[in-house]
């Protein structure tokens, strides 16, 4: 590997895939890779590890278990589990239910369901796909304090487990990492983030990376990143000689974009990391990469977070976009979390954008890795126009520089494309963030939605009043809408007479 290789390879995509393994097994990952295959009813000889899994609940009018089994056997279905049970009906009589779990294409499952429904000995048939059952069991945080439960780590890339980690054989470094991780383990939402006293080796690694990247930012980084990086320097938070403390960085973010930081002990699961963004919280590591490879870390460290992410999150528009991604993730299936993580990878981590006719980097993985930053704009990799659907399933490099990057015409263009992609995400709930209570509102009833609408109306009315005041001052008159508001004293939750 050449000096300056990317610093955050095992990122959200790997996290999401690892989550998938632990949540529902290996076959789930394979299914997500095979979604584009259209399998007919006659193609059931395919290995069932690549097929969706279904649960069929059949309520029988008479003892016809054999007929149900024959319907499956005639189609050469691979049955994984079958059981019968007695279920009481509302009239206190007992019905025999047969529960069958099998693998097969959607077309096959649909044909089985239709055939069973035609059988006059069968009272009802309920077919549940694995994604449907998953939606019912997805937990989401509803208040910012619930982020204390969003701390699940992907530990397979940590130095004591990954033999390729530069700190694998360094027991002192591993002990140092554990000591810093304990700060995050003990942290509760709302606490002041404890400071870390960094040692000379860590400060040296920071300084080497800082100086090299700062040389490249004027020609390679987006203007948004450059401007906010300079603001951090002017505020005496960033300098090459000192690693900033997370608490002071968090205070800076709150003032500029409303985001805040909470310490993370290591590489978080994709679901937990994205959920935090929904509350305008960025989970940030405090440890520093191994001193032997200051230009590279196989996992996120504070050099990556502070030099790559924080300047971009200081921008209100980019912060708002980041929160939108977090809100989209709440209640999404594991398969869609993986797509979101991939989309995050090719935008927030490795995104490029057009500025004044030139390509600039806005992705944190580029802005914290001088080797890949130079590579991305060298003319060697393939640069594609940004398309959210394509980026969400694009293969990526995890052991070398990216061979493909996506270039967006502007941030606004990217945000609109991501919003359009979000419509395809399957979610168990629709949500709204309440900034006053720092909570997630579940939009599951007309009353809940009406409450949000009324709040938006009030905000729009207030803005319209101000707009009319400004126009009135220009014309030397007091606008009628202001007079009406003064007379009424309140708006009674009604926009009539205030909004155009």
């Amino acid at each position: 590997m050449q000096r300056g290789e990317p610093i955050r390879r095992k990122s959200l995509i790997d996290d999401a895939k690892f989550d998938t393994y632990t949540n529902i097994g290996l076959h789930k990952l394979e299914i997500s890779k095979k979604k584009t295959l259209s399998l007919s009813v006659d193609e059931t000889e395919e290995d069932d590890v690549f097929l969706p899994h279904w649960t069929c609940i059949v309520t029988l009018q008479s003892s016809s278990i054999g007929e149900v089994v024959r319907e499956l056997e005639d189609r050469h279905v691979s049955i994984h589990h079958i059981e019968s049970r007695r279920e009481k009906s509302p009239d206190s009589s007992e019905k025999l239910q047969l529960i069958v779990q099998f693998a097969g294409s959607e077309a096959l499952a649909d044909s089985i369901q239709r055939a069973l429904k035609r059988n006059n000995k069968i009272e009802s048939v309920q077919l549940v796909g694995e994604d449907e059952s998953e939606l019912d069991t997805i937990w989401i945080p509803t208040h910012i304090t619930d982020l204390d439960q969003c701390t699940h780590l992907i530990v397979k890339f940590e130095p004591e487990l990954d033999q390729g980690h530069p700190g694998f054989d360094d027991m002192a470094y591993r002990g140092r990492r554990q000591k810093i991780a304990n700060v995050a383990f003990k942290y509760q939402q709302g606490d002041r983030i404890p400071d870390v006293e960094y040692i000379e080796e860590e400060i040296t690694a920071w300084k080497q990376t800082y100086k090299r990247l700062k040389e490249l930012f004027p020609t390679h980084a987006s203007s948004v990143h450059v401007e906010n990086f300079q603001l951090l320097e002017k505020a005496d938070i960033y300098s090459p000689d000192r690693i900033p403390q997370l608490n002071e960085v968090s205070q800076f973010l709150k003032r500029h974009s409303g985001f805040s930081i909470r310490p993370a002990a290591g590489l978080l699961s994709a679901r937990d990391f994205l959920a935090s963004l929904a509350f305008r919280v960025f989970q940030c590591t405090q440890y520093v990469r191994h001193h032997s490879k200051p230009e590279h870390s196989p996992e996120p460290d504070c050099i990556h977070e502070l030099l790559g992410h924080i300047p971009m999150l200081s921008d209100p528009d980019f912060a708002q976009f980041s929160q939108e991604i977090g809100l989209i993730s709440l209640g999404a299936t594991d398969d869609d979390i993986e797509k979101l993580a991939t989309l995050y990878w090719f935008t927030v981590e490795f995104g490029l954008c057009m500025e004044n006719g030139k390509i600039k980097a806005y992705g944190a993985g580029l802005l914290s890795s001088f080797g890949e930053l130079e590579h991305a704009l060298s003319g060697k990799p393939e640069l594609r126009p940004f398309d959210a659907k394509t980026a969400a399933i694009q293969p990526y490099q995890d052991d070398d520089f990216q061979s493909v990057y996506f270039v967006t015409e502007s941030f606004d263009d990217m945000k609109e494309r991501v919003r359009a992609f979000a419509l395809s995400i399957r979610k168990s709930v629709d949500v709204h963030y309440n900034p006053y209570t720092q909570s997630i509102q579940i939009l599951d009833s007309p009353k809940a939605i009406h409450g949000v609408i009324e709040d938006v109306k009030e905000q729009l009315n207030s803005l319209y009043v101000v707009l009319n005041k400004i126009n009135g001052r220009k014309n030397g008159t007091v606008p009628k809408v202001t007079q009406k508001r003064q007379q009424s004293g309140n708006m009674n939750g009604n926009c009539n007479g205030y909004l155009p």
Side-chain angles (χ1 to χ4, degrees):
M1 285 293 178
Q2 58 183 302
R3 181 174 176 81
E5 64 182 298
I7 69 157
R8 188 176 185 180
R9 280 305 176 205
K10 305 298 190 255
S11 188
L12 285 176
I13 303 176
D14 278 301
D15 304 353
K17 288 182 177 179
F18 192 71
D19 252 359
T20 298
Y21 291 137
T22 56
N23 287 343
I24 58 176
L26 178 62
H27 76 273
K28 175 73 177 189
L29 178 63
E30 298 300 334
I31 291 165
S32 69
K33 293 178 180 177
K34 300 292 180 177
K35 289 290 187 183
T36 55
L37 295 179
S38 178
L39 300 176
S40 70
V41 175
D42 296 329
E43 294 175 316
T44 55
E45 68 273 7
E46 289 281 351
D47 187 347
D48 66 6
V49 74
F50 299 120
L51 299 173
H53 287 216
W54 308 86
T55 299
C56 189
I57 304 173
V58 183
T59 302
L60 306 172
Q61 290 184 344
S62 60
S63 183
S64 52
I65 295 178
E67 295 185 34
V68 175
V69 174
R70 278 194 295 274
E71 286 287 354
L72 293 150
E73 289 179 341
D74 288 347
R75 290 169 170 77
H76 308 290
V77 170
S78 175
I79 300 175
H80 290 180
H81 179 79
I82 185 168
E83 68 176 74
S84 62
R85 69 182 182 188
R86 294 284 177 180
E87 184 73 11
K88 279 194 173 183
S89 60
D91 62 1
S92 297
S93 62
E94 284 192 343
K95 298 286 186 180
L96 181 65
Q97 282 191 336
L98 194 64
I99 302 171
V100 185
Q101 294 177 335
F102 64 93
S105 68
E106 186 173 353
L108 173 63
D110 186 57
S111 79
I112 292 171
Q113 184 179 35
R114 289 198 306 268
L116 292 174
K117 285 183 175 180
R118 288 195 296 266
N119 191 319
N120 57 18
K121 296 181 181 180
I122 294 175
E123 184 174 300
S124 65
V125 180
Q126 182 182 2
L127 188 67
V128 181
E130 59 185 351
D131 285 344
E132 295 175 64
S133 58
E134 179 188 351
L135 285 171
D136 295 332
T137 59
I138 296 173
W139 175 84
I140 67 169
T142 56
H143 188 265
I144 194 169
T145 55
D146 289 340
L147 296 184
D148 290 338
Q149 301 178 56
C150 294
T151 56
H152 299 95
L153 298 182
I154 306 300
V155 298
K156 64 178 181 176
F157 302 123
E158 292 194 351
E160 61 267 29
L161 298 177
D162 181 5
Q163 294 187 10
H165 196 290
F168 180 75
D169 294 320
D170 189 337
M171 299 305 294
Y173 175 79
R174 287 165 58 171
R176 173 75 176 160
R177 278 281 300 270
Q178 186 58 51
K179 180 181 179 180
I180 295 175
N182 286 338
V183 173
F185 285 134
K186 296 176 181 178
Y187 181 83
Q188 296 290 307
Q189 186 62 41
D191 292 350
R192 184 189 184 281
I193 305 173
D195 292 345
V196 171
E197 187 175 345
Y198 291 104
I199 60 178
E200 183 178 352
E201 291 173 340
E202 294 164 341
I203 296 172
T204 299
W206 165 268
K207 181 184 294 187
Q208 290 175 340
T209 308
Y210 190 103
K211 287 184 174 181
R212 184 70 184 95
L213 284 168
K214 188 175 178 180
E215 293 173 357
L216 293 173
F217 285 162
T219 54
H220 288 64
S222 73
S223 58
V224 173
H225 184 276
V226 172
E227 289 169 7
N228 286 290
F229 186 86
Q230 291 173 346
L231 285 177
L232 284 156
E233 288 190 319
K234 289 178 181 178
D236 293 326
I237 296 174
Y238 277 19
S239 76
D241 300 316
R242 184 181 74 92
I243 301 175
Q245 297 294 339
L246 293 194
N247 194 70
E248 61 181 332
V249 175
S250 185
Q251 293 301 318
F252 178 90
L253 279 180
K254 285 180 182 178
R255 292 193 301 272
H256 287 80
S257 69
F259 251 77
S260 62
I261 290 176
R262 70 171 287 146
L267 190 61
L268 292 172
S269 74
R271 187 178 292 280
D272 284 354
F273 178 82
L274 295 174
S276 302
L277 298 179
F279 294 87
R280 300 181 86 87
V281 172
F282 183 74
Q283 300 228 32
C284 184
T285 54
Q286 287 180 286
Y287 57 81
V288 180
R289 64 196 59 174
H290 195 265
H291 61 85
S292 67
K293 291 183 73 75
E295 75 283 355
H296 171 66
S297 174
E299 59 192 327
D301 75 326
C302 71
I303 293 179
H304 166 73
E305 321 275 36
L306 296 173
L307 296 184
H309 282 288
I310 296 304
M312 293 301 301
L313 279 174
S314 301
D315 177 70
D317 287 340
F318 196 81
Q320 178 63 28
F321 168 69
S322 297
Q323 184 182 27
E324 287 181 30
I325 292 181
L327 289 169
I328 292 168
S329 76
L330 297 181
T333 65
D334 284 343
D335 187 48
D336 282 329
I337 287 291
E338 186 174 325
K339 290 178 182 177
L340 277 175
T342 309
L343 188 57
Y344 190 94
W345 177 271
F346 284 108
T347 54
V348 179
E349 290 289 356
F350 290 97
L352 298 172
C353 65
M354 296 299 301
E355 280 190 7
N356 300 320
K358 296 182 179 180
I359 300 176
K360 297 295 183 73
Y362 69 89
L366 298 173
L367 296 167
S368 55
S369 171
F370 54 82
E372 184 149 16
L373 183 56
E374 291 176 307
H375 166 77
L377 301 180
S378 68
K380 296 178 181 178
E382 180 183 356
L383 304 183
R384 298 179 184 174
F386 176 71
D387 177 76
K389 290 182 179 179
T390 303
I393 58 173
Q394 172 65 33
Y396 67 100
Q397 294 290 109
D398 64 354
D399 57 1
D400 202 350
F401 297 145
Q402 300 296 306
S403 58
V404 173
Y405 299 91
F406 290 92
V407 184
T408 182
E409 295 178 8
S410 65
F411 285 141
D412 287 340
D413 176 67
M414 177 189 64
K415 288 187 289 185
E416 289 306 312
R417 291 177 182 272
V418 171
R419 288 189 184 108
F421 173 80
L423 297 176
S424 67
I425 299 295
R426 293 189 61 216
K427 294 163 62 71
S428 58
V429 293
D430 291 303
V431 301
H432 172 75
Y433 178 69
N434 186 326
Y436 309 114
T437 60
Q438 295 184 297
S439 62
I440 296 295
Q441 295 173 265
I442 307 299
L443 303 180
D444 56 355
S445 69
K447 182 178 179 181
I449 297 173
H450 180 72
V452 176
I453 292 174
E454 289 302 310
D455 184 52
V456 172
K457 279 183 180 180
E458 184 69 24
Q459 293 180 49
L460 288 174
N461 277 324
S462 298
L463 291 173
Y464 189 63
V465 168
V466 173
L467 179 62
N468 275 270
K469 284 182 177 179
I470 293 172
N471 290 335
R473 293 191 192 104
K474 289 180 179 178
N475 299 328
T477 61
V478 178
K480 292 181 179 179
V481 68
T482 306
Q483 294 172 343
K484 184 174 182 179
R485 172 142 188 168
Q486 290 171 344
Q487 292 167 5
S488 63
N490 65 75
M491 296 192 294
N492 299 317
N494 193 329
C495 284
N496 295 333
Y498 296 90
L499 293 179

